Amino acid sequence: MAKFFNTAGPCRPEKHYMLSPLDRIPKIMQVIEDENYFVLHAPRQTGKTTTFLALAQELTQQGKYAAVLLSVEVGSAFTDDIGAAEQAILASFHTMAETWLPSELWPPSWPDTKPGGAIQAALSAWSKTCPRPLVLFIDEIDSLQNQVLLSVLRQLRNGYNTRPKAFPQSVALIGM
C-alpha cells in the first residue's frame, strides 16, 4: 500500500463539513411554516438529495416537525400500473421513515385502499397519528411517468386542503 507524504508529513484526510441546509436554502423555513408545497429542480449531482436528507434530519432533531426524505423512484418500474407503483412507493416510504425517524414518529400500517388513492390514504393516516406536523421531501419525482405520475400528483393535490391535521404540512417535490 502506498503512502503519500507532503512537506508537513503524511497526508491526512481532510475533514469536510457540510453547510447547514438552513444556510444553503435560507427561505425554506418560511415556506414550511407557511404550510406550502414546493418544487425543487436542479441538474444531477448538485446535492439535492444530500441537502434535503440533512434538512430533514435537522428539522426532526429540532423537535417541531417529523421531516423525512422519501423517494418515489421504486415506482418508476411500474409505468402504468398505479396499484403496483403505489405499493412499491409506500413500502419505500415506510422503510425510509423507520430508518430516519424516531419510532414515535413512524407511520402506522398503511390503510387498505383501492389503486389511485393509496398514497393519499397513507399520508392522511400518518398525519393523523403523528404527534408532530409532517414535512415530506419527495425525491426523484421526475422518475415517474404516465398515469402513475398523474395519480401521485393528484393524490398530493387532493390532500392539500386537509393539511396539517390530515395531510403533511409541507411537501417538496424534488427532481431534475
Side-chain angles (χ1 to χ4, degrees):
M1 179 174 200
K3 290 185 179 182
F4 297 92
F5 296 92
N6 63 22
T7 57
C11 288
R12 294 188 178 94
E14 293 182 32
K15 291 185 179 182
H16 297 280
Y17 299 96
M18 184 171 170
L19 183 64
S20 166
L22 295 174
D23 293 334
R24 286 187 74 186
I25 314 170
K27 297 180 182 177
I28 196 79
M29 283 309 300
Q30 191 62 51
V31 172
I32 292 168
E33 289 170 5
D34 289 345
E35 301 177 7
N36 286 313
Y37 285 20
F38 60 100
V39 175
L40 177 96
H41 60 91
R44 290 194 175 281
Q45 304 299 316
T46 56
K48 297 180 300 290
T49 300
T50 302
T51 296
F52 279 89
L53 179 60
L55 177 60
Q57 291 172 341
E58 191 167 325
L59 290 175
T60 299
Q61 287 172 356
Q62 289 175 357
K64 185 174 179 181
Y65 300 107
V68 66
L69 175 74
L70 305 170
S71 175
V72 294
E73 188 172 19
V74 295
S76 66
F78 309 98
T79 308
D80 287 308
D81 187 342
I82 294 170
E86 286 176 330
Q87 293 309 307
I89 289 167
L90 290 174
S92 173
F93 282 11
H94 222 286
T95 299
M96 294 304 289
E98 290 181 353
T99 300
W100 295 107
L101 294 173
S103 60
E104 67 272 11
L105 304 178
W106 289 357
S109 296
W110 301 132
D112 188 26
T113 58
K114 294 181 180 178
I119 290 175
Q120 182 177 352
L123 295 182
S124 180
W126 189 6
S127 296
K128 289 175 184 176
T129 61
C130 189
R132 300 182 196 172
L134 284 176
V135 175
L136 303 181
F137 304 123
I138 301 177
D139 203 6
E140 303 293 343
I141 192 68
D142 55 317
S143 70
L144 300 180
Q145 298 177 26
N146 304 334
Q147 295 304 309
V148 171
L149 175 61
L150 292 176
S151 178
V152 169
L153 294 176
R154 286 180 178 142
Q155 291 178 67
L156 293 173
R157 184 182 65 218
N158 284 342
Y160 181 83
N161 290 330
T162 63
R163 74 197 192 295
K165 290 185 178 185
F167 214 68
Q169 173 170 317
S170 188
V171 174
L173 301 178
I174 304 165
M176 291 194 324

